[in-house]
Amino acid sequence: MTNWQETLKLMGAVWLSPRRAVRRVLDAGLPWPYLLPLVLVYGISFTMDQISFRNLADFFLLRDLLLFSLLIGIGAGPLFWMIYSALFYGLGRLFRGTGRWQEVQLAVAAAMVPGVAKLILWLMQLAVFREEAWTIWTPRIDFSFFLLLAYFFFLFLDAILIVWTIVVVAGALSEAHEFALWKGFLLVLIGIPLIWVLFKYGLNIVLMPI
């Protein structure tokens, strides 16, 4: 099986069995460049989350924001890959984890698979709601029963995706550090708020960390 085939298989397997999928990647010694597309897609969807959080379509044209998402996202993905890898490597060591730096890096990259689904979800919302997906005022949605129904449907899917992302990240970290799953969840529940605090009080930037 080629490395690209291994990456595609990971994208399917990590949803149902993150620990087993990550263990397969670690045992196969999959080079990190084969996981880089997942990191870049995560960066784009992460950037779209920040645009939505700030309702930037109130101030910029939608086409400009899509361009920003692409250009900023391909830089934000690798940046936050390194930040999360360093954070979860250090926290894992505090919890007596045995994962090496490269193993934690691969685990974090593999756990970014939900970012692909998040990007697809954003593109669907933009196709349906257009710029109102990223504005504070939503007159088209408010006065359309079907758009309002679609809005809550996407909100429901997004909530499910966030929960499952936490499950995937916890499973990936617990496998990389070779400790119990509950410790993986503890790392996520400590690490994500820590990222928010560091950016908020260190750089005065409010982020949606997931």
Side-chain angles (χ1 to χ4, degrees), residues 3-187:
N3 287 327
W4 287 117
Q5 288 175 322
E6 195 71 49
T7 302
L8 291 174
K9 188 168 184 178
L10 165 71
M11 290 176 64
V14 78
W15 289 99
L16 299 177
S17 182
R19 295 194 65 165
R20 188 179 303 171
V22 169
R23 174 48 53 193
R24 182 184 178 92
V25 168
L26 296 179
D27 290 344
L30 188 66
W32 67 263
Y34 290 93
L35 295 175
L36 187 59
L38 300 178
V39 175
L40 298 179
V41 169
Y42 167 82
I44 295 170
S45 65
F46 175 84
T47 303
M48 288 183 171
D49 283 339
Q50 310 314 311
I51 290 173
S52 175
F53 179 64
R54 290 167 174 78
N55 300 307
L56 291 185
D58 287 327
F59 311 101
F60 300 95
L61 294 175
L62 182 59
R63 67 171 182 269
D64 294 335
L65 292 174
L66 289 173
L67 182 60
F68 292 161
S69 299
L70 179 62
L71 297 178
I72 297 174
I74 59 177
L79 173 63
F80 278 89
W81 180 30
M82 291 297 104
I83 291 174
Y84 281 127
S85 295
L87 177 67
F88 290 133
Y89 173 77
L91 287 176
R93 287 292 179 173
L94 291 177
F95 283 86
R96 300 183 183 277
T98 60
R100 294 175 298 173
W101 167 248
Q102 293 86 350
E103 291 175 330
V104 175
Q105 268 190 307
L106 290 177
V108 171
M112 289 179 170
V113 167
V116 177
K118 189 64 179 289
L119 179 60
I120 294 172
L121 197 62
W122 268 128
L123 294 177
M124 291 171 63
Q125 290 182 76
L126 290 168
V128 174
F129 306 129
R130 294 180 289 185
E131 68 279 352
E132 288 192 10
W134 291 341
T135 61
I136 191 170
W137 302 111
T138 57
R140 286 182 60 251
I141 297 175
D142 294 341
F143 291 99
S144 170
F145 172 77
F146 294 105
L147 288 180
L148 200 58
L149 194 63
Y151 174 80
F152 285 109
F153 175 69
F154 283 122
L155 201 63
F156 175 69
L157 291 181
D158 189 55
I160 292 176
L161 197 54
I162 289 174
V163 171
W164 199 246
T165 297
I166 294 173
V167 172
V168 169
V169 174
L173 292 175
S174 63
E175 188 61 36
H177 279 297
E178 297 185 337
F179 51 38
L181 183 59
W182 68 267
K183 288 188 178 181
F185 278 107
L186 199 56
L187 253 64

